[in-house]
Amino acid sequence: MELNTIKPADGAKKAKRRVGRGIGSGLGKTAGRGHKGQKSRAGGFHKVGFEGGQMPLQRRLPKRGFKSALLKFNAEINLTDLQRLGADEVDLAVLKAAGLVSDLIKNVKVIKSGELTRKVVLKGIGATAGAKAAVEAAGGQVA
């Protein structure tokens, strides 16, 4: 095979449709546009979703729902998770290493759910009032 002998496979190159070239072509006269109407005219098209003046679907449906993009960077863990975690000092890196939060997370908050019986020091991690009281009651602290 030489560069000057390369050609596309048979049937790979199809000739473009030539409209308005006479009655024998099958696409003469109206050239496949039908008779009259906006779509038969030159330049006669309208915007996507236009329904002839009827209220378009995207405007008939109600606007609802919103999920803040900030939510994907925040996470919550509970006291049971802290109890199971072996570390005495807990920060964001420890939680990511343990697989409790994903790598995208930037803020973590401890919520009061479950029980904590061992001493844990939280560094750079938020806590609800109830969770903070539970951590301090177990001998730990929230820094």
Side-chain angles (χ1 to χ4, degrees), residues 3-70:
L3 282 177
N4 62 341
T5 61
I6 296 174
K7 65 181 187 124
D10 291 333
K13 301 282 274 181
K14 189 174 178 194
K16 77 176 200 152
R17 179 183 299 178
R18 297 185 71 213
V19 297
R21 292 297 184 274
I23 178 175
S25 70
L27 288 167
K29 194 181 171 214
T30 55
R33 287 173 174 253
H35 293 278
K36 298 186 185 171
Q38 185 175 17
K39 293 205 276 189
S40 72
R41 320 272 185 209
F45 263 86
H46 37 68
K47 64 186 174 189
V48 175
F50 184 70
E51 297 184 17
Q54 173 175 296
M55 187 61 69
L57 182 67
Q58 73 271 18
R59 291 190 58 200
R60 288 199 301 269
L61 298 176
K63 287 176 17 174
R64 63 176 295 273
F66 173 78
K67 195 167 188 179
S68 174
L70 298 175

Side-chain angles (χ1 to χ4, degrees), residues 39-112:
K39 293 205 276 189
S40 72
R41 320 272 185 209
F45 263 86
H46 37 68
K47 64 186 174 189
V48 175
F50 184 70
E51 297 184 17
Q54 173 175 296
M55 187 61 69
L57 182 67
Q58 73 271 18
R59 291 190 58 200
R60 288 199 301 269
L61 298 176
K63 287 176 17 174
R64 63 176 295 273
F66 173 78
K67 195 167 188 179
S68 174
L70 298 175
L71 290 177
K72 68 178 158 187
F73 300 118
N74 298 328
E76 293 177 348
I77 61 167
N78 53 34
L79 295 174
T80 309
D81 294 331
L82 287 179
Q83 180 72 25
R84 278 195 230 120
L85 197 62
D88 292 332
E89 284 195 9
V90 179
D91 61 356
L92 191 56
V94 171
L95 295 174
K96 286 181 181 181
L100 285 174
V101 296
S102 75
D103 290 335
L104 291 175
I105 300 299
K106 291 184 172 43
N107 299 317
V108 176
K109 193 170 207 178
V110 179
I111 59 173
K112 186 185 177 200

Side-chain angles (χ1 to χ4, degrees), residues 105-123:
I105 300 299
K106 291 184 172 43
N107 299 317
V108 176
K109 193 170 207 178
V110 179
I111 59 173
K112 186 185 177 200
S113 173
E115 289 189 22
L116 182 67
T117 56
R118 56 187 206 80
K119 181 181 175 183
V120 175
V121 177
L122 302 178
K123 293 195 172 189

